[in-house]
Amino acid sequence: MGETVATLGYFLYTNKTMVDHNDSVAPSAPLELGFSGSGAEYFRIWIVNLLLTVATLGIYSAWAKTRRLQYFYRNTHLAGASFDFLGDPKAILRGRVLAVALLGAYHYAFGFSLTTGIVIVGLLLAGLPFMMRSALRFRLSNTVYRGLPFGFDGGLKEAYVVYLLPVAIFVVPGALAALQPDGKLLGAFFILYLCWPLMHGAMKGYQHQHLMYGDRKADFPLSTASLAKPYVKTFLLGLGVLAVLIGLVVLTVVLSKPGGKFIAFLPAILGGVLGYLGLLLSGPYIMVRMNNLAWSATSFPGVRIECRMKARTYLRLQVVNVLLTLLTLGLFRPFAVVRTWRYRVEHLRVDAPAGFEQATQLASRRPVAAAGDGVADFLGVDLSW
Amino acid sequence: METLMIAAHFFDGRSARLHPARLEVNAGALTVTAPTFERSYPLAGIALSEPFAGAPAMLRFTDGACCEVAPGAAREQLLAALGYRKSAIVRWQERWPAALLALALLAVLLAALYFRGLPALTERIAANLPASVDVSLGKAALSSLEAQGIVTASRLSDERIAEVQALLPAVLPRQPRMPIKLLVRKSDKLGANALALPDGTIVVTDAMVRLVLDEDQALDDYGKEQLVAVLAHEVGHIEHRHAARVMTGTSLTAALSAALFGDFSAVAAGLPAVLSQMQYSRTMELDADNYALGVLRSQRIPLDAFAEVLSSLERQRPKGSSMPRWLTQSMEYLSTHPDTAARIERIERMQPEEKQTTK
């Protein structure tokens, strides 16, 4: 599974979708969310953001991020109102400085001494779950719809229960490799990867269970195991395909004459390519299924959310995005981001049997004491880029 | 002054209820009129956020209430009445020519950063790194090589090792930057090879020593001259502090790619991984060659000893010759590491003048 920290950020914190499409209700028919932005407009915002970020050696990135979120949120509508992001760029900058310091420390951790390395890995293990929770709080409490902010009330203890293992998966292998270069322990550690579906399910559950809109808590009845189901399905499917491929290879080897060695390798090569493709495709597939499961199970008083992304169309969208981004040396990226956002927004619906306006009356502003999270407000920790 | 009336959606900030309302601007105040209430806000206290083309304008009031005005002519009128002035950045990103200019500037800036900024910064940082960094890096690298079983104790006789060790003092500069020591180690993985670690340790493999032995398995003068060339090349790396430079450069490049593309894998890979894949750049190899050539000249050793040992090293590599010539050439062009053949040719080009002066 994703070994890079980029994917770590992605998996641990895929609440880009969480923020925008969440909320209230329609008269009787389900309400659709809409997006009014365009790739061309976002391209111009993106290129100016990028230039200023590079020119300021990254400092502007916090302001760039704020503008980007505002562009996407304000262009996302539901029932006559738009979303908005009110995060303070300076808080985001502080969070980024901290993140850069941590990453830098990790980068050099074992280059100097074992003790430094172990201390830094320990710090990361102790600090990252806390930061994950802060990131959720920061992002959600700064997302506003109809004058009321969203929120996140997940507890700290639960954050450690949920995030400690996934963080360890990414942070500890480096430490083990330094401690025991022959890699025996490391191999044993990788068994933990088998538990990844459950970890991912637990993170998703934690993110959705504690969503708030105004003073209302989300209801989320799904268990970790049922959130992990898409992995099981994908795994079984992959096993089936593998069996067929192995069968084909064996068959060709048996049938081919002793001389035709090259022909015998052909299905093996083909199998390898197909297997790799399958692996590439399973990522987005699992993401789509989990998103659908999690969002469709999330509801607020009087309001049900429905997410109906389709794995096939989403995959096609992403394949086109990747190809065009490569072909244009990255210039298609802003268009790709808009296409993806629009796809996600357009596959979300909100259902309020008793009427949306009726349901919105149920939510009101949170008392200030409950809304504030000092650390989250001070450090706009946000691990998504 | 005529008053302006605009339809808007008003939210009081206490509940999520949508109030269809009418906005009027007059006499320094904005009046919100809804079916059940009317409120007035002084213009000075209204926060107006950047209005995107297809998105509503968001007005936020000091009491926590807010108001959304759909895009269109009315929105523009309201913005004008509120005295909204676009920031420089907003004006910039609104126009295509300016946005394309940003693209061009970005390309120039990235090129400047990559080709000028990074090397200059690398030099500065490397120059300011304390020598203790080199020492701890070198120790970590050697113990990692030993722990992974990449290098093990030498199988050569003590006399042979002593013979090799005796070559070192002659290649050292008068005042070495740091104490340099020589280790002879067996390594199946590295084959015939010599490494310079950042802390001044040079590791020469058994296979490297065997490579220069004559037919009787003895270390004759020509063999010694070849080893001297190899050692001098490695001393060159240490004297020029190439390891610290490569390390700093790799870190900076990783940081740049993380900042630009959000690709943190290189940063997260950690220094040990970076060190193990470290490759000196073309210029660094040539610098080390130059250092070696200087040592050879000062000791009146003919340069073909160096060329010869490089070609035997090249012959050691199994894959080298099976690649088509055009492929090796284009790879050489792409790679930052100089092709050995090119280095040999360079040394041989210097040789004629050498022969005139020495003989």
Side-chain angles (χ1 to χ4, degrees), chain A residues 345-367:
Chain A
V345 163
E346 285 174 354
H347 286 81
L348 266 177
R349 296 201 309 194
V350 158
D351 194 9
F356 189 80
E357 283 307 324
Q358 210 58 37
T360 54
Q361 324 263 321
L362 296 170
S364 51
R365 179 165 290 273
R366 274 194 298 280

Side-chain angles (χ1 to χ4, degrees), chain A residues 259-273:
Chain A
K261 265 182 195 157
F262 179 71
I263 301 292
F265 278 114
L266 208 59
I269 293 166
L270 209 67
V273 170

Side-chain angles (χ1 to χ4, degrees), chain A residues 40 62 128 145 155 178 198 200 209 212-213 246 257 267 276-277 288 300 312 323 355 376:
Chain A
L128 279 178
Y145 174 70
L198 283 177
H200 194 183
Q209 244 159 39
M212 292 185 82
Y213 176 63
I246 290 177
K257 288 161 205 159
Y276 184 65
L277 266 179
V288 163
F300 287 96
R312 197 140 44 92
L323 287 180

Side-chain angles (χ1 to χ4, degrees), chain B residues 65-123:
Chain B
C66 64
C67 204
E68 295 183 18
V69 181
R75 184 186 84 168
E76 299 314 309
Q77 278 179 309
L78 175 71
L79 292 178
L82 291 175
Y84 170 70
R85 296 201 27 214
K86 290 172 182 170
S87 70
I89 289 175
V90 171
R91 270 178 281 139
W92 192 355
Q93 68 196 13
E94 258 180 4
R95 275 174 251 155
W96 271 110
L100 293 177
L101 179 71
L103 178 60
L105 279 176
L106 180 68
V108 171
L109 194 61
L110 281 181
L113 210 58
Y114 189 78
F115 292 110
R116 291 294 170 79
L118 276 189
L121 192 62
T122 305
E123 276 309 301

Side-chain angles (χ1 to χ4, degrees), chain A residues 4-6 23-24 36-37 40-41 43-55 57-58 60 67 70-75 77 79-86 103-104 106-112 144-148 178 181-182 213 331 335 357 360-361 363-365 383 385, chain B residues 9 11 13-18 49-56 58 60 64 66 68 87 89-90 92-96 98-103 105-106 109-110 113 133 136-137 140 144 147-148 247-248 250-251 254 258-272 274-275:
Chain A
T4 66
V5 165
D23 197 45
S24 322
S36 58
E41 187 186 9
F43 175 87
R44 299 190 306 260
I45 294 172
W46 174 79
I47 194 74
V48 172
N49 271 346
L50 200 56
L51 173 67
L52 293 176
T53 298
V54 173
L57 300 176
Y60 186 78
R67 176 167 276 117
Q70 287 175 344
Y71 180 76
F72 283 98
Y73 287 12
R74 287 185 197 155
N75 276 303
H77 330 287
S82 291
F83 294 80
D84 200 1
F85 178 73
L86 300 179
L103 260 175
Y106 182 63
H107 179 64
Y108 291 111
F110 287 95
F112 294 101
V144 179
Y145 174 70
R146 292 182 167 232
L148 294 189
D182 59 13
Y213 176 63
L331 292 183
F335 296 89
E357 283 307 324
T360 54
Q361 324 263 321
S364 51
R365 179 165 290 273
L383 297 169
W385 203 240
Chain B
H9 288 167
F11 306 97
R14 280 178 277 118
S15 84
R17 183 164 176 189
L18 185 154
S49 50
E50 178 182 345
F52 297 106
M58 303 267 188
R60 300 201 176 276
C66 64
E68 295 183 18
S87 70
I89 289 175
V90 171
W92 192 355
Q93 68 196 13
E94 258 180 4
R95 275 174 251 155
W96 271 110
L100 293 177
L101 179 71
L103 178 60
L105 279 176
L106 180 68
L109 194 61
L110 281 181
L113 210 58
V133 171
S136 57
L137 275 179
S144 149
Q148 293 176 58
M247 187 197 80
T248 324
T250 330
S251 293
L260 271 183
F261 311 114
D263 169 21
F264 290 96
S265 50
V267 180
L271 204 53
V274 173
L275 272 181

